[in-house]
Amino acid sequence: QTSPAPSSGAVFSTAERPSPTEVRLRRPPVAASCTSPPRRPPQPLRPGSMIELADQSTLSALLLGGVAVAFVVSAMSRGPSPAEAFTKLVHSRYACKEFDEAKPVPEELMKKLIDLTQRAPTSFNTQPWVAVVVREPAAKVKLVGALAVGNQPKASSAPVNIIFAADTEPEKLLTATTPDFIRDALPMFMGQCSTPEAWAFKQTMTAAQTFMLAASAHGLATNPMEGFKSVQAVRDAVGLPPRFGVPVVISLGYEKTPRAKVAPRNPVETMWYDNVFTPGKRP
């Protein structure tokens, strides 16, 4: 017996009836005007493109390498470290024997050197020293005349000469606000030296060394001198009272003709000792 033919309504036989999933997936045809443009297929990578990376680890390695390179470039752009700069400074300083008389030291640069020298350490910060800066021609003539003959040409060619003078009466520098423990300790510390002048010289030379290193750091040359016709002759030349000793006079300026910086030093083992001095090592 045959089944009746299906009517025009939505009547299906069991075999023709779609599943619920099929009903949900069926969509009415989309009008041509609403059709989205076809998606472009993936384009091949350009030869040499940075996107042509084998895998993510390669990308990570490149990124880390780039960071390292950037760090090195940044470090180089910052210049040498303070330790490297100081090492170079110490090895570059030496006594200049002839200065360029036609090249004066700029006033602003001189002020910088003075400010830096002010930071030199002294016992209890008493600062028992003064410095007389000689630049005027007439004053230079007086000073040069007070120096030993061998030092006169050096001081004559230098545009600046500085007399570092040590105050042998530092108690006069104490004020009403000076703590009692400094008043009590200062005579004891001075007594540990052979003379008050020796104590004052020790304090003054820290300032003199600071000045020479500051000068070298700013491209200037120096020449420390301790040979005088007499200390009193130096005092008279620059008007120092008798209470001041003169441990050193330093010439300052630009070197006229650079020369080989040969400055031999004694072997380290004859200068430095571990824990205790060892007789026989030092001549």
Side-chain angles (χ1 to χ4, degrees):
Q1 184 179 3
T2 59
S3 300
S7 64
S8 59
V11 179
F12 302 91
S13 66
T14 302
E16 295 174 335
R17 183 175 298 160
S19 67
T21 301
E22 291 175 330
V23 172
R24 288 195 303 270
L25 292 177
R26 288 180 179 181
R27 296 288 186 270
V30 179
S33 61
C34 298
T35 303
S36 301
R39 299 182 64 182
R40 296 178 61 186
Q43 299 297 312
L45 296 176
R46 296 189 305 274
S49 171
M50 287 301 295
I51 305 176
E52 296 182 49
L53 302 174
D55 50 31
Q56 191 65 29
S57 63
T58 304
L59 176 60
S60 299
L62 287 174
L63 290 176
L64 289 175
V67 171
V69 170
F71 177 81
V72 172
V73 171
S74 176
M76 292 176 64
S77 65
R78 290 196 301 267
S81 68
E84 292 169 335
F86 185 73
T87 299
K88 182 178 180 181
L89 172 65
V90 170
H91 285 280
S92 66
R93 196 219 66 79
Y94 75 112
C96 174
K97 303 306 180 183
E98 185 177 13
F99 297 88
D100 188 345
E101 298 182 60
K103 194 173 182 181
V105 177
E107 182 64 26
E108 286 302 313
L109 181 52
M110 193 68 212
K111 289 180 180 179
K112 287 183 180 180
L113 301 185
I114 290 173
D115 288 341
L116 290 170
T117 305
Q118 287 291 107
R119 302 306 305 167
T122 57
S123 180
F124 291 121
N125 198 32
T126 49
Q127 303 170 63
W129 59 270
V130 297
V132 181
V133 181
V134 174
R135 283 178 282 191
E136 294 296 330
K140 182 196 288 190
V141 170
K142 289 183 179 180
L143 175 62
V144 170
L147 302 179
V149 174
N151 285 330
Q152 290 182 359
K154 307 165 192 175
S156 295
S157 67
V160 182
N161 288 280
I162 302 96
I163 299 88
F164 280 87
D167 193 341
T168 62
E169 299 177 8
E171 63 276 7
K172 294 183 178 180
L173 303 175
L174 305 181
T175 66
T177 60
T178 300
D180 289 339
F181 79 92
I182 293 180
R183 295 179 181 277
D184 295 337
L186 187 59
M188 179 183 67
F189 283 13
M190 294 179 66
Q192 293 174 356
C193 296
S194 57
T195 63
E197 186 179 62
W199 178 88
F201 275 28
K202 179 172 63 174
Q203 312 303 320
T204 305
M205 287 307 297
T206 62
Q209 175 71 355
T210 300
F211 177 83
M212 287 190 289
L213 290 176
S216 294
H218 287 82
L220 292 163
T222 56
N223 182 66
M225 300 172 290
E226 59 177 353
F228 320 130
K229 288 183 176 178
S230 71
V231 173
Q232 188 58 49
V234 176
R235 289 195 194 103
D236 293 340
V238 296
L240 285 168
R243 75 189 242 199
F244 286 94
V246 182
V248 66
V249 174
I250 299 177
S251 295
L252 173 73
Y254 294 94
E255 189 171 27
K256 183 175 182 179
T257 305
R259 59 185 176 86
K261 298 176 177 62
V262 180
R265 294 294 186 263
N266 293 332
V268 172
E269 60 271 17
T270 67
M271 305 286 292
W272 295 77
Y273 299 87
D274 289 328
N275 301 311
V276 64
F277 175 77
T278 305
K281 286 187 176 182
R282 186 169 179 82

